[in-house]
Amino acid sequence: MDYLWIQAGFWGFLGGLALLIGAVAGYYLEISQKIIASIMAFGSGVLIAAACFALIEEAFLLGGFDSTITGFALGVIIFTAADVYLAKRGAKHRKTSDKSKVSSKYDESGSAIAVGAVLDGIPESVAIGLTIITGGLVSLATVVAVFISNIPEGISSSTGMKASGWNRKSVFGLWMGVAVICGLSSLAGYSIFSKLPPDVNAATLALASGALLTMIADTMLPEAFSKTHEYTGLLVAMGFILSFVLSMG
């Protein structure tokens, strides 16, 4: 019996669970914005390396330039369009822990924040499932990258939600729901795409890579840079080299 689909769901859920862990920490602990931003910068570097080595490189090996470039472009376009729409609906600062950016609109846009969290999490989770198809085992680098990057998102978002009046049941319920969706997305990434041709898998890996890189540039790095400033590059580079070592190991 093929138990790999169970592994795919588990690893995707574990990556998403980091959001809930971060949310609990952000809700109950007074964590400085600089620490949150530093973790986010480090996590950005980890994710960038995963997108390069565990996703787009594998996409090229599976399907060549055509599938890789097509999938990558689609990922960038889809994420950008969805992010622009959600920003207009009140989820622009969904990763922020800065109370000065939290407005009444933030509190009114719960559905947009939830959809934004899912939008950020799905490409990561699908990518986890796809790495099992291509390698037979889950990519440790991808799981670690997703987990590390999700912790500061959970911390910062829950801090913003608390500042705007969200109760803990709503905050934790939201992130638990997102974690479950992440697990299901990873399961789908394996179960659905394992039956499709290599070119399709290649395009999907590249799509996830494009969406991840766009998400990092649009939502993670701006929030990180706002507090870490000239140290942002150092932290991103440290995360990148860690993920590179895990990918090559």
Side-chain angles (χ1 to χ4, degrees):
M1 183 179 292
D2 182 7
Y3 291 103
L4 291 178
W5 65 273
I6 298 177
Q7 291 185 40
F10 170 77
W11 290 116
F13 176 74
L14 181 64
L17 193 62
L19 290 165
L20 181 60
I21 294 171
V24 172
Y27 198 89
Y28 288 111
L29 303 177
E30 289 293 332
I31 304 174
S32 75
Q33 292 176 24
K34 183 167 287 189
I35 290 176
I36 297 172
S38 297
I39 300 172
M40 192 170 290
F42 183 83
S44 295
V46 176
L47 270 182
I48 290 170
C52 293
F53 300 111
L55 299 181
I56 200 164
E57 181 181 20
E58 189 63 36
F60 174 73
L61 293 174
L62 275 176
F65 278 116
D66 291 348
S67 298
T68 302
I69 294 174
T70 300
F72 186 86
L74 282 173
V76 172
I77 292 169
I78 291 170
F79 187 93
T80 300
D83 197 42
V84 168
Y85 172 77
L86 289 171
K88 293 179 179 179
R89 301 283 294 179
K92 180 178 181 180
H93 297 297
R94 60 184 178 273
K95 295 183 188 291
T96 189
S97 61
D98 188 346
K99 295 179 182 180
S100 67
K101 295 180 181 178
V102 177
S103 65
S104 59
K105 189 175 181 181
Y106 190 97
D107 186 44
E108 295 165 359
S109 59
S111 59
I113 294 169
V115 174
V118 172
L119 173 68
D120 296 340
I122 284 180
E124 303 169 342
S125 304
V126 170
I128 289 175
L130 288 172
T131 62
I132 296 178
I133 297 174
T134 57
L137 294 172
V138 71
S139 167
L140 178 61
T142 305
V143 174
V144 170
V146 171
F147 191 90
I148 291 176
S149 66
N150 278 346
I151 288 177
E153 178 175 355
I155 293 174
S156 58
S157 296
S158 68
T159 302
M161 291 173 182
K162 182 180 179 181
S164 64
W166 286 48
N167 61 52
R168 62 184 179 182
K169 182 178 179 180
S170 298
V171 173
F172 300 157
L174 167 64
W175 293 118
M176 175 56 78
V178 173
V180 170
I181 291 173
C182 287
L184 293 175
S185 298
S186 182
L187 190 154
Y190 173 78
S191 301
I192 296 174
F193 291 96
S194 63
K195 300 176 176 63
L196 298 177
D199 282 349
V200 176
N201 289 333
T204 308
L205 279 168
L207 186 150
S209 177
L212 279 179
L213 288 174
T214 307
M215 182 269 289
I216 293 164
D218 283 356
T219 64
M220 292 183 70
L221 286 177
E223 292 295 340
F225 183 79
S226 68
K227 300 300 176 184
T228 56
H229 301 298
E230 63 270 15
Y231 295 105
T232 305
L234 172 65
L235 292 164
V236 170
M238 289 172 62
F240 184 93
I241 198 65
L242 171 64
S243 187
F244 171 76
V245 171
L246 291 173
S247 296
M248 298 297 107

